[in-house]
Amino acid sequence: MKKSMVYTKTGDAGTTSLVGGVRVSKTHLRLEAYGTIDELNSNIGVLVSVVDYAEYEEYLRFVQHKLFSLGSYLATDTSKTEPKLESYIGAEEVTRMEKVIDEMDETLPPLKGFVLPGGSHAASVCHVCRTVCRRAERRMLALESEGIMALDDNCKKFINRLSDFLFVLSRKLNYLSDYDEIYWDKTCK
């Protein structure tokens, strides 16, 4: 197999190619969207490295693969090119995530208020991932609101559920590590 070139020099002028060949500015909203998905995926890679529970590591790896698919979908100019089948997120992936969320949540004490991010190192990294996920969702939705692309409903559901999953996982990781949740003190005292 021939070694691929890491650098192509085609982006030196500040543009890049979408899947399908259309060139756009590297500041284009589409790149903001899939770049934030890439940032989220990288942060989840960090999370995997600090989670000591095989079942969650395995599921987080699955999520990373799905985020790569989502990035591919967002990088495709759907007005000119049909996304590859592996770029789609199916309803079964959304349902699977909901099941994982529900199973974790059943083992946790009820919430007593708004939880401050923190606790164990793994739970804290989980909160960072959650906030990057919310930003990725906002960037994706901007593509629709600006008329750049219509998003597949399952993609929107997946990214929305993912932030919920990351919140519940942070609670679960604190619970398993015997860290108490810190609730927001509304009086700020």
Side-chain angles (χ1 to χ4, degrees):
M1 174 184 267
K2 183 182 173 189
K3 188 173 184 327
S4 63
M5 292 295 294
V6 173
Y7 55 90
T8 62
K9 302 181 184 179
T10 58
D12 291 351
T15 64
T16 192
S17 291
L18 299 176
V19 175
V22 174
R23 291 200 72 79
V24 296
S25 168
K26 289 184 177 182
T27 61
H28 193 279
L29 281 176
R30 187 184 291 272
L31 273 79
E32 274 296 316
Y34 73 74
T36 308
I37 293 294
D38 186 35
E39 180 185 350
L40 172 59
N41 207 341
S42 296
N43 276 288
I44 289 179
V46 174
L47 179 59
V48 169
S49 74
V50 297
V51 169
D52 290 328
Y53 302 96
E55 66 185 288
Y56 301 124
E57 288 177 41
E58 182 181 323
Y59 188 72
L60 287 166
R61 286 285 181 219
F62 163 78
V63 167
Q64 285 191 288
H65 287 284
K66 290 285 106 188
L67 288 173
F68 210 85
S69 296
L70 181 56
S72 170
Y73 172 78
L74 295 171
T76 303
D77 182 355
T78 53
S79 69
K80 303 201 182 313
T81 305
E82 179 66 26
K84 294 183 184 213
L85 186 59
E86 58 270 14
S87 296
Y88 285 99
I89 297 200
E92 62 276 4
E93 282 94 11
V94 175
T95 302
R96 179 179 176 187
M97 188 175 297
E98 289 171 346
K99 183 178 179 204
V100 171
I101 292 168
D102 291 343
E103 287 172 358
M104 276 193 299
D105 197 42
E106 286 175 5
T107 66
L108 297 171
L111 284 168
K112 299 180 214 165
F114 290 104
V115 177
L116 293 182
S120 71
H121 183 238
S124 298
V125 173
C126 213
H127 279 290
V128 171
C129 292
R130 177 186 57 77
T131 59
V132 174
C133 186
R134 287 290 189 203
R135 179 162 33 92
E137 181 180 25
R138 292 190 303 272
R139 298 295 187 262
M140 286 173 53
L141 294 173
L143 294 176
E144 267 195 335
S145 68
E146 296 295 322
I148 295 169
M149 78 181 290
L151 296 172
D152 179 79
D153 282 345
N154 287 320
C155 290
K156 291 188 282 190
K157 289 176 184 177
F158 184 84
I159 201 73
N160 187 281
R161 295 303 179 285
L162 180 54
S163 59
D164 297 332
F165 163 76
L166 291 165
F167 174 74
V168 175
L169 180 60
S170 71
R171 294 190 71 219
K172 181 71 173 186
L173 293 172
N174 275 336
Y175 179 79
L176 291 170
S177 301
D178 290 325
Y179 276 83
D180 290 333
E181 290 182 309
I182 302 167
Y183 289 98
W184 173 46
D185 176 2
K186 296 176 196 171
T187 65
C188 296
K189 291 183 181 178

